[in-house]
């Protein structure tokens, strides 16, 4: 090993321009998601497999064409998987490994860190929507409605689920987060109108409709199946979840 | 005198009603290396974490490079190596260093840094698959890659093999030569002896001693001179030649010990008498040394020998 040249380590502090930090951090966050087997499983493999099985194997009866019912439900599941489950587990372990603490002592502002996480989530969601739509179309999906309404639902759903994911991942220990996030994922999958309509739960329906997953899945169905222009109830429910969860997360989130 | 790079005055921090840092004060001059020594649980890491802005002080003031530890303007100017962890387990070693380098306006060349710390072979290995020593070296690289003015290294060589320890020490010495201030917490007294301009010994959240290594080790010196020579020399004759109050003995054979007059330090007079006495016997005085205490002796005297929880 050669010795250090005099002056090689002379201080020259300074923060990089914000766009450079944001780009580097977003690429890192994306790599972390796409390399993590569990996250790929829960964000891509399970939703795709579930979509194919639900459409092709008629063990759950639905009104109308099967693809038209299940594609919106699985899209809601995909958003929940990435924004909520994936983020909660990711953040939980990053805290446990002291990564967020170490980053707190670097020039990277926390706002840039959170923005990079959001951009990575949106990028994964784009991939999910593209793959699920392609599979759905191949299996006879016939979407209707306004693409802007779909985008609004997905963005608000992402905000609500990110808030919940950061709240869970930012307050509990890594393994607790892992267990809780997976359990909630499954509960919301069953109760959130993904695989059966929430009307199947009878008197519980008005309460279940307030779940973020149910709001997203029924909102997406209103638009994509019935061509509703503005699924007001779903949008309101998602806005309330987003405000409450992001507000609570920003108060309670612990970086270590 | 220039303003200190780190200025801590009367710092207090408690956990669960117990004061882990108790009115602690210390200053670090720019461009010097300070070693913060102390047993486990002495309050070293808590002190450093307040300086890094991770914890807020309960009382007292802390100024880092003239700024509050929470000031965002401070972030690019300091580098932090935590005791453990601090990297994405799923990123590769090289990716992690390039990522943190991308936060800095004028970073060091990450690939050069990897090579100098012997990490180029594992640059494409995921962080979680690195050995403990490799993780430590990456953590050190992450602390310095942004070219900070002040670095905090928390036990930087814990668990390193001798080669990696020396590479770390050379880096700290090069940082010092280039005017970077270093605050080093360590258990390793030889590390402090080699690297530190100043040492602060902390116990029970308080400073129990501070000064240069030499000041600490020479304080209360017992004044002993040891040497090896031909066995069976006439010690009584030496005693009569020495100033009054000195002691001399041979134990074991061929190993001689002379104590200064009434326990005082060995003075040039004593040394001259001993060498002259050897000359009259045509004997060489080999391995001659005037004992001073090691930093370890001082440390154990100050903090006691009891094991810490």
């Amino acid at each position: 090993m050669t010795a250090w040249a005099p002056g090689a380590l002379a201080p020259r502090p300074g923060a990089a321009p914000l766009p450079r930090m944001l780009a580097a951090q977003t690429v890192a966050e994306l790599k972390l998601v796409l390399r993590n087997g569990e996250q790929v499983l829960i964000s891509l493999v399970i939703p795709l497999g579930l979509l194919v099985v639900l459409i092709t194997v008629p063990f759950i009866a639905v009104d109308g064409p099967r693809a038209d019912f299940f594609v919106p439900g699985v899209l809601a599941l995909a958003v929940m998987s990435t924004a909520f489950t994936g983020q909660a587990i990711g953040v939980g372990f990053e805290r446990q490994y002291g990564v967020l603490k170490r980053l707190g002592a670097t020039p990277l502002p926390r706002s840039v860190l959170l923005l990079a996480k959001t951009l990575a989530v949106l990028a994964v969601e784009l991939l999910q929507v593209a793959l699920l739509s392609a599979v759905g179309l191949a299996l006879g999906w016939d979407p209707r409605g306004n693409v802007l309404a779909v985008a609004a639902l997905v963005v608000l759903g992402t905000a609500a689920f990110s808030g919940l994911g950061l709240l869970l991942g930012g307050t509990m220990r890594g393994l607790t987060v892992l267990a809780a996030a997976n359990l909630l994922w499954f509960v919301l999958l069953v109760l959130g109108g993904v695989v059966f309509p929430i009307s199947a739960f009878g008197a519980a329906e008005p309460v279940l409709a307030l779940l973020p997953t149910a709001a997203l899945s029924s909102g997406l169905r209103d638009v994509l199946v019935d061509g509703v222009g503005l699924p007001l109830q779903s949008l309101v429910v998602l806005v309330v979840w987003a405000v409450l969860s992001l507000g609570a997360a920003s108060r309670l989130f612990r970086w270590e | 005198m220039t303003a200190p790079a780190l200025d801590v005055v009367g710092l207090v921090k408690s956990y669960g009603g117990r004061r882990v840092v108790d009115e602690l004060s210390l200053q670090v001059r720019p461009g010097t290396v300070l070693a913060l020594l102390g047993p486990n649980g002495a309050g070293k890491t808590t002190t450093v974490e307040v300086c890094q802005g991770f914890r807020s002080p309960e009382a007292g003031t802390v100024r880092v490079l003239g700024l509050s530890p929470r000031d965002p303007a401070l972030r690019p100017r300091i580098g932090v190596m935590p005791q453990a962890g601090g990297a994405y387990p799923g990123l590769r070693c090289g990716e992690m260093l390039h990522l943190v380098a991308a936060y800095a306006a004028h970073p060091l060349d990450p690939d050069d840094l990897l090579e100098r710390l012997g990490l180029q072979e594992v640059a494409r290995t995921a962080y979680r698959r690195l050995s403990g020593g490799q993780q430590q070296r990456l953590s050190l690289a992450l602390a310095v890659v942004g070219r900070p003015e002040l670095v905090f290294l928390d036990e930087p060589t814990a668990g390193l093999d001798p080669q990696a320890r020396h590479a770390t020490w050379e880096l700290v010495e090069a940082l010092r030569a280039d005017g970077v201030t270093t605050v080093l917490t360590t258990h390793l007294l030889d590390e402090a002896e080699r690297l530190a301009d100043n040492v602060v010994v902390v116990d029970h959240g308080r400073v129990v001693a501070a000064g240069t290594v030499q000041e600490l080790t020479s304080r209360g010196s017992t004044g002993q001179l040891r040497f090896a020579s031909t066995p069976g020399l006439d010690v009584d004759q030496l005693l009569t030649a020495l100033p009054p109050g000195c002691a001399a003995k041979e134990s074991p054979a061929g190993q001689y010990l002379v104590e200064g007059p009434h326990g005082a330090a060995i003075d040039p007079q004593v040394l001259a008498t001993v060498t002259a006495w050897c000359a009259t016997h045509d004997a060489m005085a080999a391995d001659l040394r005037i004992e001073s205490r090691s930093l370890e002796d001082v440390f154990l005297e100050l903090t006691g020998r009891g094991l810490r929880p």
Side-chain angles (χ1 to χ4, degrees), chain A residues 1-17 20-21 24-25 28-29 31-32 35 94 97-108 113 117 256, chain B residues 49 54-55 75-78 80-82 85-92 95 99 101-106 108 113 116 139 142-143 146-149 170-171 174-175 178 180:
Chain A
M1 204 190 72
T2 49
W4 291 91
L9 297 167
R12 204 174 167 205
R20 198 168 99 203
M21 289 194 213
Q25 190 66 32
E29 299 279 351
K31 280 182 186 164
L32 287 164
R35 274 184 201 160
E94 283 164 20
Y97 290 121
V99 184
L100 295 185
K101 184 174 171 183
R102 137 83 40 74
L103 296 187
T106 68
L108 179 76
L113 174 65
K117 284 189 176 297
E256 54 172 296
Chain B
E49 289 195 344
F54 291 129
R55 303 178 191 284
R75 302 270 81 89
R77 299 175 64 193
I78 64 170
V80 170
M81 175 181 177
Y88 289 107
L91 284 189
R92 295 172 182 149
E95 286 173 342
L99 174 63
Y103 303 155
H106 316 285
L108 298 175
L113 196 50
R116 285 173 179 279
S139 190
L142 294 173
R147 303 184 72 169
E149 293 166 58
E170 277 163 28
L171 177 55
L175 286 168
D178 283 341
V180 178

Side-chain angles (χ1 to χ4, degrees), chain A residues 196-220:
Chain A
F196 0 83
I198 53 172
S199 56
F201 296 98
E205 184 187 349
V207 180
L208 295 181
L210 299 178
L211 291 173
T213 317
L216 184 56
S217 62
S218 59
L220 287 171

Side-chain angles (χ1 to χ4, degrees), chain A residues 155-244:
Chain A
V155 167
L156 281 175
T158 301
F161 283 122
S162 292
L164 292 168
L166 294 173
L167 183 61
L168 181 63
T171 54
M172 294 182 191
R173 293 181 54 83
L175 282 174
T176 315
V177 173
L178 185 66
N182 282 321
L183 183 68
L184 281 170
W185 180 85
F186 184 72
V187 169
L188 289 169
L189 164 67
V190 174
L191 300 181
V194 172
V195 285
F196 0 83
I198 53 172
S199 56
F201 296 98
E205 184 187 349
V207 180
L208 295 181
L210 299 178
L211 291 173
T213 317
L216 184 56
S217 62
S218 59
L220 287 171
R221 272 188 202 114
D222 288 347
V223 176
L224 293 167
V225 180
D226 303 323
V228 173
L230 201 65
L232 209 56
Q233 192 198 333
S234 293
L235 290 172
V236 169
V237 170
L238 291 174
V239 166
V240 171
W241 275 106
V243 170
L244 291 179

Side-chain angles (χ1 to χ4, degrees), chain B residues 61 234 305:
Chain B
T61 57
D234 186 352
R305 288 181 177 272

Side-chain angles (χ1 to χ4, degrees), chain B residues 249-272:
Chain B
K249 64 175 179 179
E250 181 187 3
S251 168
Q255 298 290 327
Y256 296 86
L257 170 69
V258 177
E259 286 178 348
H262 308 292
I266 300 293
D267 57 22
Q269 177 82 56
V270 174
L271 185 59

